[in-house]
Amino acid sequence: MTPPTAYTHGHADSVLRSHRWRTADNSCAYLLPHLRAGTSLLDVGSGPATITADLGRVIAPGALTALEMNDEAAALSRAELDRQGVAATVLTGDAHDIDLPDDAVDASHAHQVLQHVADPVQVLREMARVTRPGGVIGVRDSDYTAFTWWPRVPALDEWLRLYLLAARANGGEPDAGRRLLSWAHAAGLHDLEAGSSTWCFATPDDRAWWGGMWADRILDSALARQLLEDGHTDHAGLQRISDGWREWAAHPDGWFSILHGELVIRV
């Protein structure tokens, strides 16, 4: 049995504001050229399913399946897919042991998932098992230590230090992006293309959205509760970080770049 991991972010409204911003275009453009109408696809860790819904439209009339770790997360996926009118099967289960037969789908996809699981190599093996020969796997994960920003607001350095502590305490690896290629090789997958891309927040509107979201998130989310319960900081410390995010967002020189590792794997 693979030991369970805790999902560092949780599903607070501040978290969902970020996750619902994600689309196929801004989050899996690297994979889109490998999909076509009629492809069947499994989306592992579908979350609030904005990416999932986009992928469903790309592959229609192909069968779409979404997988989430618990009923709460699966309900978020189901609600968004229903809202957008995208037909899909939503499953609840463990990505380390996917409840699908061998060769079940033409493609499988995971966005910002491998950084949170106990054994990313095993998850890749499972994605390969359920993807038919000749099919494709797409994975994309950020790399927190590679995040860079300006100005160097000290509170954001403290935010990153605390996030890394919490994510690793939960059994994940927040610097997943740089490790994707090595994890794929360890899973026995070698016919692949490795790359990277970034999100960049630098306009006044983008800074207000990204900085404001994190200013709220560090005060009221699963991450905030964990940091307090584990004694890594106190309410005043979290407030200083929140204020630091707003300081960064208000600065006319504010710039924040997020690196993502990407893999396209041919099964």
Side-chain angles (χ1 to χ4, degrees), residues 39-47 49 51-53 55-56 59 61-68 77-78 81 86-93 98-101 104-110 130:
T39 296
S40 58
L41 183 140
L42 168 68
D43 193 20
V44 176
S46 48
I51 299 173
T52 317
L55 293 174
I59 65 168
L64 176 65
T65 303
L67 174 67
E68 260 300 348
S77 296
R78 177 79 274 163
L81 291 164
V86 176
T89 299
V90 179
L91 304 176
T92 300
I98 299 171
D99 188 18
L100 289 174
V105 294
D106 300 317
S108 55
H109 167 260
V130 303

PDB file of all heavy atoms in Angstrom, residues 39-47 49 51-53 55-56 59 61-68 77-78 81 86-93 98-101 104-110 130:
ATOM      1  N   THR A  39     -10.675  10.873 -29.397  1.00  0.00           N
ATOM      2  CA  THR A  39      -9.748  10.318 -28.413  1.00  0.00           C
ATOM      3  C   THR A  39     -10.471  10.101 -27.086  1.00  0.00           C
ATOM      4  O   THR A  39     -11.256  10.944 -26.649  1.00  0.00           O
ATOM      5  CB  THR A  39      -8.567  11.299 -28.200  1.00  0.00           C
ATOM      6  OG1 THR A  39      -7.828  11.427 -29.410  1.00  0.00           O
ATOM      7  CG2 THR A  39      -7.635  10.814 -27.098  1.00  0.00           C
ATOM      8  N   SER A  40     -10.198   8.993 -26.427  1.00  0.00           N
ATOM      9  CA  SER A  40     -10.685   8.799 -25.058  1.00  0.00           C
ATOM     10  C   SER A  40      -9.582   9.230 -24.098  1.00  0.00           C
ATOM     11  O   SER A  40      -8.402   8.958 -24.329  1.00  0.00           O
ATOM     12  CB  SER A  40     -11.072   7.344 -24.813  1.00  0.00           C
ATOM     13  OG  SER A  40      -9.970   6.477 -25.059  1.00  0.00           O
ATOM     14  N   LEU A  41      -9.972   9.921 -23.014  1.00  0.00           N
ATOM     15  CA  LEU A  41      -8.960  10.545 -22.157  1.00  0.00           C
ATOM     16  C   LEU A  41      -9.330  10.407 -20.697  1.00  0.00           C
ATOM     17  O   LEU A  41     -10.492  10.566 -20.307  1.00  0.00           O
ATOM     18  CB  LEU A  41      -8.816  12.030 -22.524  1.00  0.00           C
ATOM     19  CG  LEU A  41      -7.752  12.828 -21.766  1.00  0.00           C
ATOM     20  CD1 LEU A  41      -7.017  13.790 -22.691  1.00  0.00           C
ATOM     21  CD2 LEU A  41      -8.379  13.606 -20.603  1.00  0.00           C
ATOM     22  N   LEU A  42      -8.320  10.146 -19.872  1.00  0.00           N
ATOM     23  CA  LEU A  42      -8.427  10.141 -18.419  1.00  0.00           C
ATOM     24  C   LEU A  42      -7.688  11.355 -17.875  1.00  0.00           C
ATOM     25  O   LEU A  42      -6.498  11.545 -18.154  1.00  0.00           O
ATOM     26  CB  LEU A  42      -7.801   8.868 -17.842  1.00  0.00           C
ATOM     27  CG  LEU A  42      -7.589   8.859 -16.321  1.00  0.00           C
ATOM     28  CD1 LEU A  42      -8.921   8.838 -15.576  1.00  0.00           C
ATOM     29  CD2 LEU A  42      -6.712   7.676 -15.906  1.00  0.00           C
ATOM     30  N   ASP A  43      -8.382  12.184 -17.075  1.00  0.00           N
ATOM     31  CA  ASP A  43      -7.755  13.321 -16.424  1.00  0.00           C
ATOM     32  C   ASP A  43      -7.590  12.990 -14.948  1.00  0.00           C
ATOM     33  O   ASP A  43      -8.571  12.880 -14.203  1.00  0.00           O
ATOM     34  CB  ASP A  43      -8.607  14.579 -16.597  1.00  0.00           C
ATOM     35  CG  ASP A  43      -7.850  15.840 -16.225  1.00  0.00           C
ATOM     36  OD1 ASP A  43      -6.601  15.804 -16.201  1.00  0.00           O
ATOM     37  OD2 ASP A  43      -8.501  16.874 -15.971  1.00  0.00           O
ATOM     38  N   VAL A  44      -6.341  12.817 -14.520  1.00  0.00           N
ATOM     39  CA  VAL A  44      -6.019  12.423 -13.152  1.00  0.00           C
ATOM     40  C   VAL A  44      -5.873  13.692 -12.302  1.00  0.00           C
ATOM     41  O   VAL A  44      -5.088  14.570 -12.613  1.00  0.00           O
ATOM     42  CB  VAL A  44      -4.716  11.606 -13.121  1.00  0.00           C
ATOM     43  CG1 VAL A  44      -4.323  11.267 -11.685  1.00  0.00           C
ATOM     44  CG2 VAL A  44      -4.843  10.343 -13.960  1.00  0.00           C
ATOM     45  N   GLY A  45      -6.627  13.772 -11.221  1.00  0.00           N
ATOM     46  CA  GLY A  45      -6.580  14.952 -10.382  1.00  0.00           C
ATOM     47  C   GLY A  45      -7.274  16.134 -11.027  1.00  0.00           C
ATOM     48  O   GLY A  45      -6.712  17.211 -11.165  1.00  0.00           O
ATOM     49  N   SER A  46      -8.531  15.950 -11.398  1.00  0.00           N
ATOM     50  CA  SER A  46      -9.245  16.936 -12.205  1.00  0.00           C
ATOM     51  C   SER A  46      -9.614  18.190 -11.443  1.00  0.00           C
ATOM     52  O   SER A  46      -9.834  19.248 -12.047  1.00  0.00           O
ATOM     53  CB  SER A  46     -10.512  16.302 -12.787  1.00  0.00           C
ATOM     54  OG  SER A  46     -11.235  15.606 -11.779  1.00  0.00           O
ATOM     55  N   GLY A  47      -9.715  18.130 -10.120  1.00  0.00           N
ATOM     56  CA  GLY A  47      -9.992  19.316  -9.324  1.00  0.00           C
ATOM     57  C   GLY A  47     -11.292  19.988  -9.744  1.00  0.00           C
ATOM     58  O   GLY A  47     -12.295  19.327 -10.006  1.00  0.00           O
ATOM     59  N   ALA A  49     -11.996  21.156 -12.492  1.00  0.00           N
ATOM     60  CA  ALA A  49     -12.335  20.609 -13.815  1.00  0.00           C
ATOM     61  C   ALA A  49     -12.450  21.636 -14.941  1.00  0.00           C
ATOM     62  O   ALA A  49     -13.021  21.315 -15.979  1.00  0.00           O
ATOM     63  CB  ALA A  49     -13.610  19.770 -13.746  1.00  0.00           C
ATOM     64  N   ILE A  51      -9.864  22.679 -16.723  1.00  0.00           N
ATOM     65  CA  ILE A  51      -9.023  22.074 -17.758  1.00  0.00           C
ATOM     66  C   ILE A  51      -9.722  20.836 -18.328  1.00  0.00           C
ATOM     67  O   ILE A  51      -9.755  20.631 -19.542  1.00  0.00           O
ATOM     68  CB  ILE A  51      -7.639  21.689 -17.202  1.00  0.00           C
ATOM     69  CG1 ILE A  51      -6.891  22.911 -16.687  1.00  0.00           C
ATOM     70  CG2 ILE A  51      -6.809  20.973 -18.273  1.00  0.00           C
ATOM     71  CD1 ILE A  51      -5.590  22.567 -15.971  1.00  0.00           C
ATOM     72  N   THR A  52     -10.274  20.028 -17.447  1.00  0.00           N
ATOM     73  CA  THR A  52     -10.951  18.794 -17.867  1.00  0.00           C
ATOM     74  C   THR A  52     -12.042  19.092 -18.885  1.00  0.00           C
ATOM     75  O   THR A  52     -12.162  18.401 -19.909  1.00  0.00           O
ATOM     76  CB  THR A  52     -11.567  18.092 -16.648  1.00  0.00           C
ATOM     77  OG1 THR A  52     -10.652  18.116 -15.559  1.00  0.00           O
ATOM     78  CG2 THR A  52     -11.943  16.658 -16.971  1.00  0.00           C
ATOM     79  N   ALA A  53     -12.837  20.106 -18.607  1.00  0.00           N
ATOM     80  CA  ALA A  53     -13.930  20.459 -19.514  1.00  0.00           C
ATOM     81  C   ALA A  53     -13.388  20.883 -20.877  1.00  0.00           C
ATOM     82  O   ALA A  53     -13.922  20.481 -21.926  1.00  0.00           O
ATOM     83  CB  ALA A  53     -14.773  21.577 -18.911  1.00  0.00           C
ATOM     84  N   LEU A  55     -10.573  19.935 -22.220  1.00  0.00           N
ATOM     85  CA  LEU A  55     -10.072  18.734 -22.887  1.00  0.00           C
ATOM     86  C   LEU A  55     -11.233  17.901 -23.426  1.00  0.00           C
ATOM     87  O   LEU A  55     -11.134  17.304 -24.508  1.00  0.00           O
ATOM     88  CB  LEU A  55      -9.217  17.907 -21.927  1.00  0.00           C
ATOM     89  CG  LEU A  55      -7.898  18.541 -21.503  1.00  0.00           C
ATOM     90  CD1 LEU A  55      -7.206  17.679 -20.439  1.00  0.00           C
ATOM     91  CD2 LEU A  55      -6.976  18.742 -22.698  1.00  0.00           C
ATOM     92  N   GLY A  56     -12.332  17.867 -22.702  1.00  0.00           N
ATOM     93  CA  GLY A  56     -13.496  17.137 -23.174  1.00  0.00           C
ATOM     94  C   GLY A  56     -14.013  17.670 -24.496  1.00  0.00           C
ATOM     95  O   GLY A  56     -14.441  16.895 -25.365  1.00  0.00           O
ATOM     96  N   ILE A  59     -11.608  16.522 -27.371  1.00  0.00           N
ATOM     97  CA  ILE A  59     -11.654  15.110 -27.780  1.00  0.00           C
ATOM     98  C   ILE A  59     -13.054  14.651 -28.183  1.00  0.00           C
ATOM     99  O   ILE A  59     -13.213  13.524 -28.660  1.00  0.00           O
ATOM    100  CB  ILE A  59     -11.128  14.192 -26.663  1.00  0.00           C
ATOM    101  CG1 ILE A  59     -12.051  14.248 -25.432  1.00  0.00           C
ATOM    102  CG2 ILE A  59      -9.685  14.549 -26.301  1.00  0.00           C
ATOM    103  CD1 ILE A  59     -11.773  13.177 -24.404  1.00  0.00           C
ATOM    104  N   PRO A  61     -16.196  13.447 -30.024  1.00  0.00           N
ATOM    105  CA  PRO A  61     -17.074  12.697 -29.121  1.00  0.00           C
ATOM    106  C   PRO A  61     -16.381  11.597 -28.321  1.00  0.00           C
ATOM    107  O   PRO A  61     -17.044  10.652 -27.880  1.00  0.00           O
ATOM    108  CB  PRO A  61     -18.093  12.104 -30.091  1.00  0.00           C
ATOM    109  CG  PRO A  61     -17.267  11.803 -31.313  1.00  0.00           C
ATOM    110  CD  PRO A  61     -16.273  12.938 -31.416  1.00  0.00           C
ATOM    111  N   GLY A  62     -15.063  11.698 -28.123  1.00  0.00           N
ATOM    112  CA  GLY A  62     -14.357  10.691 -27.342  1.00  0.00           C
ATOM    113  C   GLY A  62     -14.797  10.706 -25.892  1.00  0.00           C
ATOM    114  O   GLY A  62     -15.247  11.720 -25.359  1.00  0.00           O
ATOM    115  N   ALA A  63     -14.637   9.566 -25.221  1.00  0.00           N
ATOM    116  CA  ALA A  63     -15.069   9.411 -23.831  1.00  0.00           C
ATOM    117  C   ALA A  63     -14.096  10.109 -22.892  1.00  0.00           C
ATOM    118  O   ALA A  63     -12.872   9.956 -22.999  1.00  0.00           O
ATOM    119  CB  ALA A  63     -15.169   7.933 -23.478  1.00  0.00           C
ATOM    120  N   LEU A  64     -14.634  10.883 -21.945  1.00  0.00           N
ATOM    121  CA  LEU A  64     -13.846  11.631 -20.972  1.00  0.00           C
ATOM    122  C   LEU A  64     -14.080  11.040 -19.586  1.00  0.00           C
ATOM    123  O   LEU A  64     -15.222  10.845 -19.163  1.00  0.00           O
ATOM    124  CB  LEU A  64     -14.262  13.100 -20.989  1.00  0.00           C
ATOM    125  CG  LEU A  64     -13.608  14.027 -19.959  1.00  0.00           C
ATOM    126  CD1 LEU A  64     -12.106  14.147 -20.200  1.00  0.00           C
ATOM    127  CD2 LEU A  64     -14.273  15.411 -19.996  1.00  0.00           C
ATOM    128  N   THR A  65     -12.976  10.769 -18.866  1.00  0.00           N
ATOM    129  CA  THR A  65     -13.052  10.271 -17.492  1.00  0.00           C
ATOM    130  C   THR A  65     -12.214  11.169 -16.611  1.00  0.00           C
ATOM    131  O   THR A  65     -11.081  11.525 -16.967  1.00  0.00           O
ATOM    132  CB  THR A  65     -12.537   8.825 -17.390  1.00  0.00           C
ATOM    133  OG1 THR A  65     -13.277   7.993 -18.283  1.00  0.00           O
ATOM    134  CG2 THR A  65     -12.675   8.298 -15.974  1.00  0.00           C
ATOM    135  N   ALA A  66     -12.743  11.558 -15.454  1.00  0.00           N
ATOM    136  CA  ALA A  66     -12.025  12.368 -14.473  1.00  0.00           C
ATOM    137  C   ALA A  66     -11.824  11.543 -13.210  1.00  0.00           C
ATOM    138  O   ALA A  66     -12.731  10.810 -12.787  1.00  0.00           O
ATOM    139  CB  ALA A  66     -12.801  13.641 -14.156  1.00  0.00           C
ATOM    140  N   LEU A  67     -10.649  11.656 -12.601  1.00  0.00           N
ATOM    141  CA  LEU A  67     -10.335  10.916 -11.377  1.00  0.00           C
ATOM    142  C   LEU A  67      -9.947  11.901 -10.287  1.00  0.00           C
ATOM    143  O   LEU A  67      -9.084  12.753 -10.495  1.00  0.00           O
ATOM    144  CB  LEU A  67      -9.183   9.940 -11.627  1.00  0.00           C
ATOM    145  CG  LEU A  67      -8.640   9.197 -10.405  1.00  0.00           C
ATOM    146  CD1 LEU A  67      -9.679   8.231  -9.846  1.00  0.00           C
ATOM    147  CD2 LEU A  67      -7.349   8.448 -10.744  1.00  0.00           C
ATOM    148  N   GLU A  68     -10.586  11.775  -9.121  1.00  0.00           N
ATOM    149  CA  GLU A  68     -10.213  12.569  -7.958  1.00  0.00           C
ATOM    150  C   GLU A  68     -10.052  11.680  -6.734  1.00  0.00           C
ATOM    151  O   GLU A  68     -10.542  10.563  -6.688  1.00  0.00           O
ATOM    152  CB  GLU A  68     -11.224  13.684  -7.691  1.00  0.00           C
ATOM    153  CG  GLU A  68     -10.773  15.044  -8.202  1.00  0.00           C
ATOM    154  CD  GLU A  68      -9.464  15.535  -7.581  1.00  0.00           C
ATOM    155  OE1 GLU A  68      -9.009  14.937  -6.584  1.00  0.00           O
ATOM    156  OE2 GLU A  68      -8.904  16.511  -8.111  1.00  0.00           O
ATOM    157  N   SER A  77     -15.411  18.493  -9.388  1.00  0.00           N
ATOM    158  CA  SER A  77     -15.265  18.155 -10.809  1.00  0.00           C
ATOM    159  C   SER A  77     -16.630  17.977 -11.463  1.00  0.00           C
ATOM    160  O   SER A  77     -16.901  18.525 -12.542  1.00  0.00           O
ATOM    161  CB  SER A  77     -14.454  16.866 -10.968  1.00  0.00           C
ATOM    162  OG  SER A  77     -13.136  17.005 -10.504  1.00  0.00           O
ATOM    163  N   ARG A  78     -17.485  17.209 -10.818  1.00  0.00           N
ATOM    164  CA  ARG A  78     -18.803  16.921 -11.380  1.00  0.00           C
ATOM    165  C   ARG A  78     -19.624  18.193 -11.586  1.00  0.00           C
ATOM    166  O   ARG A  78     -20.269  18.372 -12.623  1.00  0.00           O
ATOM    167  CB  ARG A  78     -19.545  15.992 -10.423  1.00  0.00           C
ATOM    168  CG  ARG A  78     -20.964  15.622 -10.799  1.00  0.00           C
ATOM    169  CD  ARG A  78     -20.995  14.548 -11.855  1.00  0.00           C
ATOM    170  NE  ARG A  78     -20.906  15.077 -13.200  1.00  0.00           N
ATOM    171  CZ  ARG A  78     -20.589  14.366 -14.264  1.00  0.00           C
ATOM    172  NH1 ARG A  78     -20.306  13.082 -14.148  1.00  0.00           N
ATOM    173  NH2 ARG A  78     -20.551  14.906 -15.462  1.00  0.00           N
ATOM    174  N   LEU A  81     -18.218  20.235 -14.638  1.00  0.00           N
ATOM    175  CA  LEU A  81     -18.505  19.556 -15.899  1.00  0.00           C
ATOM    176  C   LEU A  81     -19.990  19.664 -16.240  1.00  0.00           C
ATOM    177  O   LEU A  81     -20.350  19.920 -17.391  1.00  0.00           O
ATOM    178  CB  LEU A  81     -18.068  18.094 -15.811  1.00  0.00           C
ATOM    179  CG  LEU A  81     -16.549  17.883 -15.748  1.00  0.00           C
ATOM    180  CD1 LEU A  81     -16.217  16.478 -15.263  1.00  0.00           C
ATOM    181  CD2 LEU A  81     -15.893  18.147 -17.100  1.00  0.00           C
ATOM    182  N   VAL A  86     -20.437  19.322 -20.253  1.00  0.00           N
ATOM    183  CA  VAL A  86     -19.451  18.388 -20.799  1.00  0.00           C
ATOM    184  C   VAL A  86     -19.708  17.008 -20.196  1.00  0.00           C
ATOM    185  O   VAL A  86     -19.648  16.831 -18.972  1.00  0.00           O
ATOM    186  CB  VAL A  86     -18.012  18.849 -20.491  1.00  0.00           C
ATOM    187  CG1 VAL A  86     -17.002  17.813 -20.969  1.00  0.00           C
ATOM    188  CG2 VAL A  86     -17.734  20.199 -21.144  1.00  0.00           C
ATOM    189  N   ALA A  87     -19.981  16.036 -21.034  1.00  0.00           N
ATOM    190  CA  ALA A  87     -20.251  14.678 -20.562  1.00  0.00           C
ATOM    191  C   ALA A  87     -18.965  14.008 -20.096  1.00  0.00           C
ATOM    192  O   ALA A  87     -17.937  14.055 -20.788  1.00  0.00           O
ATOM    193  CB  ALA A  87     -20.892  13.856 -21.681  1.00  0.00           C
ATOM    194  N   ALA A  88     -18.997  13.395 -18.924  1.00  0.00           N
ATOM    195  CA  ALA A  88     -17.815  12.721 -18.388  1.00  0.00           C
ATOM    196  C   ALA A  88     -18.226  11.740 -17.311  1.00  0.00           C
ATOM    197  O   ALA A  88     -19.273  11.892 -16.664  1.00  0.00           O
ATOM    198  CB  ALA A  88     -16.830  13.741 -17.812  1.00  0.00           C
ATOM    199  N   THR A  89     -17.368  10.748 -17.105  1.00  0.00           N
ATOM    200  CA  THR A  89     -17.469   9.859 -15.959  1.00  0.00           C
ATOM    201  C   THR A  89     -16.510  10.359 -14.902  1.00  0.00           C
ATOM    202  O   THR A  89     -15.325  10.573 -15.197  1.00  0.00           O
ATOM    203  CB  THR A  89     -17.102   8.423 -16.354  1.00  0.00           C
ATOM    204  OG1 THR A  89     -18.006   7.963 -17.362  1.00  0.00           O
ATOM    205  CG2 THR A  89     -17.157   7.498 -15.147  1.00  0.00           C
ATOM    206  N   VAL A  90     -16.982  10.588 -13.686  1.00  0.00           N
ATOM    207  CA  VAL A  90     -16.130  11.072 -12.597  1.00  0.00           C
ATOM    208  C   VAL A  90     -15.936   9.941 -11.597  1.00  0.00           C
ATOM    209  O   VAL A  90     -16.911   9.418 -11.034  1.00  0.00           O
ATOM    210  CB  VAL A  90     -16.746  12.308 -11.916  1.00  0.00           C
ATOM    211  CG1 VAL A  90     -15.847  12.789 -10.775  1.00  0.00           C
ATOM    212  CG2 VAL A  90     -16.970  13.432 -12.932  1.00  0.00           C
ATOM    213  N   LEU A  91     -14.686   9.560 -11.381  1.00  0.00           N
ATOM    214  CA  LEU A  91     -14.332   8.481 -10.475  1.00  0.00           C
ATOM    215  C   LEU A  91     -13.660   9.028  -9.228  1.00  0.00           C
ATOM    216  O   LEU A  91     -12.993  10.065  -9.270  1.00  0.00           O
ATOM    217  CB  LEU A  91     -13.370   7.506 -11.150  1.00  0.00           C
ATOM    218  CG  LEU A  91     -13.796   6.869 -12.472  1.00  0.00           C
ATOM    219  CD1 LEU A  91     -12.664   6.008 -13.023  1.00  0.00           C
ATOM    220  CD2 LEU A  91     -15.065   6.049 -12.286  1.00  0.00           C
ATOM    221  N   THR A  92     -13.808   8.312  -8.130  1.00  0.00           N
ATOM    222  CA  THR A  92     -13.077   8.601  -6.907  1.00  0.00           C
ATOM    223  C   THR A  92     -12.132   7.438  -6.634  1.00  0.00           C
ATOM    224  O   THR A  92     -12.553   6.277  -6.659  1.00  0.00           O
ATOM    225  CB  THR A  92     -14.032   8.769  -5.714  1.00  0.00           C
ATOM    226  OG1 THR A  92     -14.933   9.841  -5.985  1.00  0.00           O
ATOM    227  CG2 THR A  92     -13.275   9.081  -4.442  1.00  0.00           C
ATOM    228  N   GLY A  93     -10.857   7.751  -6.399  1.00  0.00           N
ATOM    229  CA  GLY A  93      -9.911   6.674  -6.159  1.00  0.00           C
ATOM    230  C   GLY A  93      -8.489   7.177  -6.038  1.00  0.00           C
ATOM    231  O   GLY A  93      -8.220   8.386  -6.044  1.00  0.00           O
ATOM    232  N   ILE A  98      -5.141   2.965 -10.092  1.00  0.00           N
ATOM    233  CA  ILE A  98      -6.303   3.474 -10.816  1.00  0.00           C
ATOM    234  C   ILE A  98      -7.269   2.333 -11.121  1.00  0.00           C
ATOM    235  O   ILE A  98      -6.869   1.291 -11.643  1.00  0.00           O
ATOM    236  CB  ILE A  98      -5.850   4.180 -12.117  1.00  0.00           C
ATOM    237  CG1 ILE A  98      -4.946   5.372 -11.776  1.00  0.00           C
ATOM    238  CG2 ILE A  98      -7.057   4.652 -12.924  1.00  0.00           C
ATOM    239  CD1 ILE A  98      -4.282   6.007 -12.995  1.00  0.00           C
ATOM    240  N   ASP A  99      -8.522   2.559 -10.803  1.00  0.00           N
ATOM    241  CA  ASP A  99      -9.538   1.514 -10.966  1.00  0.00           C
ATOM    242  C   ASP A  99     -10.071   1.495 -12.401  1.00  0.00           C
ATOM    243  O   ASP A  99     -11.243   1.742 -12.658  1.00  0.00           O
ATOM    244  CB  ASP A  99     -10.678   1.743  -9.968  1.00  0.00           C
ATOM    245  CG  ASP A  99     -11.665   0.583  -9.940  1.00  0.00           C
ATOM    246  OD1 ASP A  99     -11.301  -0.511 -10.414  1.00  0.00           O
ATOM    247  OD2 ASP A  99     -12.787   0.783  -9.446  1.00  0.00           O
ATOM    248  N   LEU A 100      -9.181   1.214 -13.320  1.00  0.00           N
ATOM    249  CA  LEU A 100      -9.516   1.044 -14.733  1.00  0.00           C
ATOM    250  C   LEU A 100      -8.717  -0.139 -15.263  1.00  0.00           C
ATOM    251  O   LEU A 100      -7.610  -0.409 -14.773  1.00  0.00           O
ATOM    252  CB  LEU A 100      -9.174   2.296 -15.544  1.00  0.00           C
ATOM    253  CG  LEU A 100     -10.042   3.545 -15.349  1.00  0.00           C
ATOM    254  CD1 LEU A 100      -9.455   4.719 -16.114  1.00  0.00           C
ATOM    255  CD2 LEU A 100     -11.482   3.288 -15.794  1.00  0.00           C
ATOM    256  N   PRO A 101      -9.225  -0.822 -16.280  1.00  0.00           N
ATOM    257  CA  PRO A 101      -8.461  -1.935 -16.849  1.00  0.00           C
ATOM    258  C   PRO A 101      -7.264  -1.439 -17.657  1.00  0.00           C
ATOM    259  O   PRO A 101      -7.143  -0.253 -17.985  1.00  0.00           O
ATOM    260  CB  PRO A 101      -9.487  -2.629 -17.751  1.00  0.00           C
ATOM    261  CG  PRO A 101     -10.470  -1.562 -18.098  1.00  0.00           C
ATOM    262  CD  PRO A 101     -10.553  -0.658 -16.908  1.00  0.00           C
ATOM    263  N   ALA A 104      -7.215   1.189 -21.190  1.00  0.00           N
ATOM    264  CA  ALA A 104      -8.602   1.662 -21.135  1.00  0.00           C
ATOM    265  C   ALA A 104      -8.831   2.929 -21.937  1.00  0.00           C
ATOM    266  O   ALA A 104      -9.953   3.187 -22.386  1.00  0.00           O
ATOM    267  CB  ALA A 104      -9.015   1.893 -19.680  1.00  0.00           C
ATOM    268  N   VAL A 105      -7.785   3.773 -22.097  1.00  0.00           N
ATOM    269  CA  VAL A 105      -7.963   5.081 -22.733  1.00  0.00           C
ATOM    270  C   VAL A 105      -6.856   5.317 -23.753  1.00  0.00           C
ATOM    271  O   VAL A 105      -5.797   4.670 -23.738  1.00  0.00           O
ATOM    272  CB  VAL A 105      -7.959   6.216 -21.683  1.00  0.00           C
ATOM    273  CG1 VAL A 105      -9.166   6.109 -20.765  1.00  0.00           C
ATOM    274  CG2 VAL A 105      -6.662   6.240 -20.883  1.00  0.00           C
ATOM    275  N   ASP A 106      -7.105   6.273 -24.635  1.00  0.00           N
ATOM    276  CA  ASP A 106      -6.105   6.657 -25.634  1.00  0.00           C
ATOM    277  C   ASP A 106      -5.091   7.647 -25.083  1.00  0.00           C
ATOM    278  O   ASP A 106      -3.981   7.765 -25.607  1.00  0.00           O
ATOM    279  CB  ASP A 106      -6.785   7.307 -26.846  1.00  0.00           C
ATOM    280  CG  ASP A 106      -7.778   6.390 -27.524  1.00  0.00           C
ATOM    281  OD1 ASP A 106      -7.454   5.201 -27.690  1.00  0.00           O
ATOM    282  OD2 ASP A 106      -8.872   6.864 -27.894  1.00  0.00           O
ATOM    283  N   ALA A 107      -5.477   8.399 -24.065  1.00  0.00           N
ATOM    284  CA  ALA A 107      -4.608   9.431 -23.508  1.00  0.00           C
ATOM    285  C   ALA A 107      -4.903   9.595 -22.031  1.00  0.00           C
ATOM    286  O   ALA A 107      -6.035   9.408 -21.578  1.00  0.00           O
ATOM    287  CB  ALA A 107      -4.820  10.762 -24.239  1.00  0.00           C
ATOM    288  N   SER A 108      -3.875   9.969 -21.267  1.00  0.00           N
ATOM    289  CA  SER A 108      -4.075  10.325 -19.864  1.00  0.00           C
ATOM    290  C   SER A 108      -3.301  11.599 -19.569  1.00  0.00           C
ATOM    291  O   SER A 108      -2.282  11.892 -20.212  1.00  0.00           O
ATOM    292  CB  SER A 108      -3.651   9.186 -18.929  1.00  0.00           C
ATOM    293  OG  SER A 108      -2.315   8.796 -19.173  1.00  0.00           O
ATOM    294  N   HIS A 109      -3.791  12.350 -18.602  1.00  0.00           N
ATOM    295  CA  HIS A 109      -3.271  13.692 -18.343  1.00  0.00           C
ATOM    296  C   HIS A 109      -3.297  13.957 -16.845  1.00  0.00           C
ATOM    297  O   HIS A 109      -4.213  13.537 -16.139  1.00  0.00           O
ATOM    298  CB  HIS A 109      -4.157  14.722 -19.064  1.00  0.00           C
ATOM    299  CG  HIS A 109      -3.926  16.136 -18.624  1.00  0.00           C
ATOM    300  ND1 HIS A 109      -4.753  16.783 -17.717  1.00  0.00           N
ATOM    301  CD2 HIS A 109      -2.959  17.026 -18.955  1.00  0.00           C
ATOM    302  CE1 HIS A 109      -4.306  18.013 -17.529  1.00  0.00           C
ATOM    303  NE2 HIS A 109      -3.222  18.193 -18.260  1.00  0.00           N
ATOM    304  N   ALA A 110      -2.275  14.654 -16.349  1.00  0.00           N
ATOM    305  CA  ALA A 110      -2.250  15.073 -14.948  1.00  0.00           C
ATOM    306  C   ALA A 110      -1.578  16.441 -14.872  1.00  0.00           C
ATOM    307  O   ALA A 110      -0.423  16.598 -15.299  1.00  0.00           O
ATOM    308  CB  ALA A 110      -1.497  14.071 -14.088  1.00  0.00           C
ATOM    309  N   VAL A 130      -2.976   2.166 -17.939  1.00  0.00           N
ATOM    310  CA  VAL A 130      -4.345   2.350 -18.422  1.00  0.00           C
ATOM    311  C   VAL A 130      -4.396   3.023 -19.794  1.00  0.00           C
ATOM    312  O   VAL A 130      -5.474   3.119 -20.388  1.00  0.00           O
ATOM    313  CB  VAL A 130      -5.192   3.155 -17.413  1.00  0.00           C
ATOM    314  CG1 VAL A 130      -5.194   2.458 -16.056  1.00  0.00           C
ATOM    315  CG2 VAL A 130      -4.731   4.601 -17.298  1.00  0.00           C
TER     316      VAL A 130
END
